[in-house]
């Protein structure tokens, strides 16, 4: 399947140093991608780069087959919706008026019916005459989501969109975003600190830290996988890792850690068939929190379930 959006060797440098380092990603149409990482990892900078407002120091971003930063006009950008950092609106306008103004800025002539539909989608219809200055943080976030989908974009970039929402609000946003993908085939890239919540909606997860992509759950469900620790002098390359249906987490000397859905017996059988010497092989139950903490801190607090 051809990609809607790709980054190729994207680097972003600022006076304080390098923010993004050699980021190579591919996003398909009609999927939700979860972007995970601690504060300062580079998530917001990456989203701004994908939005077309933060040009890479070098590297390229391609959107719908076009170079996002070397394309005449701004038609490409009109196909992207976003909430990056705090959504800005006019305090002295109502929620309905703010959405109307935004769509007119995009050279659209919105009907009141369209505005009302958007407000109903995010649960703000009964508050449509309220001034933006009189709204709560959660209501501001909901209005930001309404604005981001108001022009029916093909790509939606959301930076912590559930900030300020209660559990019911978070559930409603999750269901709304899944519906957006199903009905409009939208591609959504969403950053969040809520690991379990983002795992409920995302098709794929991307872990980023210190400006680097450190792990991707391509076509895999973390909950259906194990973490393996293997000690072997044999060099495990990408091709062999594919045979294990795994993804590398860490390689340090003879110590190798990888994630795979295969049970211990199948992993052992593959290693023996390939005549890979095994000095030690351990298997651990894996949750999303386990994987996240492991990738960030190299911790070893797992529920041990076996060893050879």
């Amino acid at each position: 399947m051809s990609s809607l959006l790709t980054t190729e060797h994207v680097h972003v440098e600022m006076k304080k140093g390098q923010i993004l380092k050699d980021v190579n990603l591919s996003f398909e149409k009609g999927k939700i991608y979860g972007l995970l990482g601690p504060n300062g990892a580079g998530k917001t900078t990456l989203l701004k780069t994908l939005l077309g407002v933060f040009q890479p120091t070098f590297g390229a971003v391609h959107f719908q087959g076009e170079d996002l930063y070397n394309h005449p006009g701004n038609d490409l950008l009109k196909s992207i919706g976003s909430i990056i950092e705090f959504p800005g609106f006019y305090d002295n306008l109502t929620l309905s008026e703010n959405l109307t103004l935004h769509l007119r800025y995009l050279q659209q002539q919105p009907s009141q019916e369209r505005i009302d539909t958007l407000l109903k989608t995010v649960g703000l219809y009964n508050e449509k005459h309220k001034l933006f200055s009189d709204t709560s943080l959660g209501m501001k976030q909901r209005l930001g989501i309404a604005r981001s989908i108001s022009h029916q974009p093909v790509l939606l970039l959301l930076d912590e969109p559930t900030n300020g929402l209660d559990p019911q609000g978070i559930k409603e946003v999750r269901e709304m975003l899944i519906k957006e993908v199903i009905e409009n085939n939208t591609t959504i890239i969403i950053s969040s600190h809520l690991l379990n919540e983002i795992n409920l909606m995302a098709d794929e997860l991307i872990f980023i830290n210190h400006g680097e992509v450190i792990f991707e759950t391509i076509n895999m469900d973390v909950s259906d996988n194990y973490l393996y620790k293997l000690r072997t002098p044999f060099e495990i390359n990408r091709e062999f890792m594919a045979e294990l249906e795994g993804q590398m987490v860490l390689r340090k000397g003879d110590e190798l850690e990888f994630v795979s859905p295969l049970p211990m017996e199948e992993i052992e059988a593959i290693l023996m068939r390939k005549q890979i010497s095994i000095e030690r092989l351990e298997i651990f139950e894996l949750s999303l929190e386990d994987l996240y903490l492991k990738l960030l801190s190299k911790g070893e607090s797992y529920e041990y379930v076996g060893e050879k």
Side-chain angles (χ1 to χ4, degrees):
M1 183 181 295
S2 60
S3 298
L4 175 76
L5 175 71
T6 61
T7 67
E8 299 173 3
H9 305 293
V10 165
H11 291 69
V12 172
E13 298 177 1
M14 301 177 70
K15 291 183 178 179
K16 295 181 179 179
Q18 198 164 42
I19 309 300
L20 296 178
K21 306 173 185 177
D22 198 28
V23 175
N24 295 279
L25 292 169
S26 179
F27 303 94
E28 295 178 3
K29 195 169 180 59
K31 282 190 174 184
I32 299 179
Y33 296 83
L35 189 59
L36 297 172
N39 289 332
K43 301 190 300 298
T44 299
T45 299
L46 176 57
L47 290 175
K48 287 182 177 179
T49 302
L50 299 178
L51 183 59
V53 299
F54 207 146
Q55 186 165 1
T57 307
F58 56 93
V61 179
H62 288 93
F63 175 52
Q64 298 190 113
E66 302 284 348
D67 190 316
L68 195 60
Y69 289 93
N70 290 291
H71 182 75
N74 61 356
D75 291 344
L76 275 180
L77 300 182
K78 290 181 179 179
S79 299
I80 304 175
S82 68
I83 298 179
I84 307 292
E85 297 177 331
F86 189 78
F89 291 95
Y90 290 97
D91 285 341
N92 61 332
L93 296 182
T94 66
L95 306 190
S96 180
E97 289 169 341
N98 264 293
L99 285 182
T100 300
L101 185 64
H102 172 70
L103 285 171
R104 286 177 178 167
Y105 173 75
L106 294 176
Q107 298 180 339
Q108 297 186 20
Q109 296 300 321
S111 65
Q112 189 58 52
E113 181 182 4
R114 172 61 177 157
I115 298 300
D116 288 348
T117 298
L118 284 167
L119 291 171
K120 287 176 182 177
T121 298
V122 297
L124 291 176
Y125 177 73
N126 293 332
E127 312 292 340
K128 68 177 183 177
H129 297 304
K130 179 173 286 190
L131 292 177
F132 182 76
S133 59
D134 295 333
T135 58
S136 66
L137 175 59
M139 293 171 68
K140 289 178 171 64
Q141 288 295 116
R142 288 173 182 267
L143 188 64
I145 293 171
R147 184 177 68 181
S148 71
I149 63 174
S150 62
H151 55 297
Q152 298 179 312
V154 299
L155 174 64
L156 197 54
L157 306 174
L158 304 175
D159 191 12
E160 300 282 356
T162 57
N163 184 35
L165 298 181
D166 58 21
Q168 179 61 30
I170 292 173
K171 180 176 181 291
E172 290 172 358
V173 168
R174 179 180 76 236
E175 292 173 348
M176 184 205 70
L177 294 177
I178 292 173
K179 182 179 179 182
E180 178 74 14
V181 170
I182 293 173
E183 293 186 351
N184 298 314
N185 204 29
T186 310
T187 298
I188 299 177
I189 305 173
I190 176 172
S191 74
S192 177
H193 288 93
L194 304 176
L195 301 184
N196 289 329
E197 180 59 37
I198 204 167
N199 196 37
L200 286 174
M201 73 175 85
D203 298 296
E204 297 182 8
L205 300 176
I206 299 167
F207 295 79
I208 184 171
N209 196 23
H210 301 302
E212 296 182 275
V213 175
I214 56 176
F215 193 80
E216 296 178 69
T217 62
I218 303 299
N219 299 319
M220 62 179 280
D221 185 342
V222 171
S223 62
D224 294 333
N225 283 261
Y226 300 101
L227 175 73
Y228 285 95
K229 290 187 177 183
L230 170 65
R231 177 181 290 173
T232 178
F234 185 82
E235 183 65 32
I236 305 290
N237 58 26
R238 252 177 221 266
E239 291 73 21
F240 188 75
M241 187 57 61
E243 288 196 48
L244 299 174
E245 297 184 24
Q247 271 212 43
M248 189 90 70
V249 173
L250 176 68
R251 177 81 202 218
K252 187 175 182 180
D254 290 346
E255 298 285 344
L256 171 69
E257 297 182 8
F258 63 94
V259 175
S260 172
L262 299 181
M264 171 77 88
E265 294 77 13
E266 290 190 38
I267 295 292
E268 288 179 323
I270 294 171
L271 293 173
M272 292 177 65
R273 187 169 67 249
K274 294 292 184 177
Q275 298 183 329
I276 306 299
S277 61
I278 305 172
E279 297 178 7
R280 189 181 74 227
L281 179 63
E282 299 172 299
I283 182 173
F284 298 84
E285 298 286 357
L286 184 69
S287 69
L288 180 58
E289 290 89 346
D290 290 334
L291 180 59
Y292 181 80
L293 293 173
K294 177 64 185 176
L295 291 169
L296 298 186
S297 65
K298 311 303 180 187
E300 297 184 359
S301 56
Y302 300 92
E303 181 182 351
Y304 176 65
V305 296
E307 178 179 2
K308 178 178 178 181

